[in-house]
Amino acid sequence: IIDSLNYAATDIHYMKNNLLVSNTSEIQNELRIYNRNNIDTPFRLDKTVVTQNIPNALYSAGDTLFVGMDDHGGVKVYNIDNPDYVEEITSLATGFSVKEIYWDPLYRWLLLSCGFQGVVVIELDESMQEIETWVINTSYAYAARNYMGNIIVATRKGLEIITLNINQ
C-alpha cells in the first residue's frame, strides 16, 4: 500500500477484510479504508475519509468505527457498513485529545486514553449514543482496559487500577 506510506501515520486497524490507516496525508487530515476480497488479492483503496483534526486512533466494533482525534477533537463515530458511503453517526468527548481507544462490548463502555487528560469512559446505548460519562484523572494515559469493572490504565508511572463505583 504505497500511497499511504506516510511517516506521520498514527494507527492501523484490520477488520473484516478492511485495513484502516489513519493520518495518511501530509496535506489534509484523513484516514483511508483499504479492502481486499480474498487473501490472494492485494488491498485496494475503497474510501478516503477527511476529518477536521488529525485522526490519532482507530478502533472498530462490527460496522462501527471509532476515530480518536488530536487537538481536543474527541471521537468521531462512523458507520462503515457500506465503504462507498461512510456515515458519521455521532461525535463524543469533544475537548479531549484521544491517543488510544478501546471498546468493551459487555459493559458497552468506550475507553479513551487521552494522555495528560487521563481516561474518559463513555457508556453508549445500542445506537452508539452517550448514556453516561466518567473522566478519570491519571498520570499520562497510554492505554486503558476494563477488567470486571476496574479500569486498568497503562501510564508513564506504571499501571494504575481504578475501581468505578457507578452506583453512587
Side-chain angles (χ1 to χ4, degrees):
I1 305 174
I2 300 300
D3 68 330
S4 68
L5 292 179
N6 176 10
Y7 287 111
T10 53
D11 202 3
I12 59 171
H13 188 74
Y14 183 78
M15 54 155 273
K16 295 170 43 176
N17 292 327
N18 290 312
L19 179 68
L20 297 95
V21 182
S22 64
N23 199 23
T24 53
S25 172
E26 293 178 0
I27 299 168
Q28 66 181 359
N29 299 326
E30 68 178 28
L31 64 102
R32 293 184 185 172
I33 302 172
Y34 297 88
N35 181 284
R36 77 172 167 194
N37 297 331
N38 63 56
I39 199 158
D40 297 325
T41 61
F43 283 101
R44 64 177 169 73
L45 179 63
D46 262 359
K47 184 74 174 171
T48 299
V49 179
V50 177
T51 59
Q52 187 174 17
N53 300 83
I54 294 172
N56 273 340
L58 303 170
Y59 194 91
S60 67
D63 294 326
T64 303
L65 173 64
F66 301 100
V67 181
M69 300 294 175
D70 195 14
D71 198 26
H72 309 289
V75 171
K76 301 290 184 191
V77 183
Y78 296 93
N79 181 340
I80 57 171
D81 181 32
N82 179 0
D84 295 328
Y85 180 70
V86 176
E87 175 188 15
E88 183 178 328
I89 299 171
T90 191
S91 183
L92 304 165
T94 303
F96 289 88
S97 298
V98 180
K99 310 293 185 199
E100 199 259 355
I101 300 171
Y102 181 75
W103 168 246
D104 184 326
L106 180 63
Y107 284 77
R108 300 200 60 80
W109 286 354
L110 187 65
L111 284 79
L112 310 175
S113 302
C114 301
F116 288 115
Q117 294 175 299
V119 175
V120 178
V121 180
I122 304 173
E123 183 180 4
L124 300 173
D125 65 15
E126 43 292 323
S127 302
M128 296 299 167
Q129 299 301 312
E130 185 175 343
I131 297 172
E132 189 77 42
T133 300
W134 303 274
V135 178
I136 302 171
N137 292 320
T138 65
S139 302
Y140 191 97
Y142 291 108
R145 298 292 183 268
N146 175 32
Y147 178 72
M148 297 173 44
N150 296 299
I151 306 300
I152 302 172
V153 185
T155 74
R156 285 187 175 166
K157 296 182 178 181
L159 293 179
E160 296 182 19
I161 301 172
I162 294 96
T163 302
L164 288 181
N165 186 353
I166 59 175
N167 297 324
Q168 292 183 352

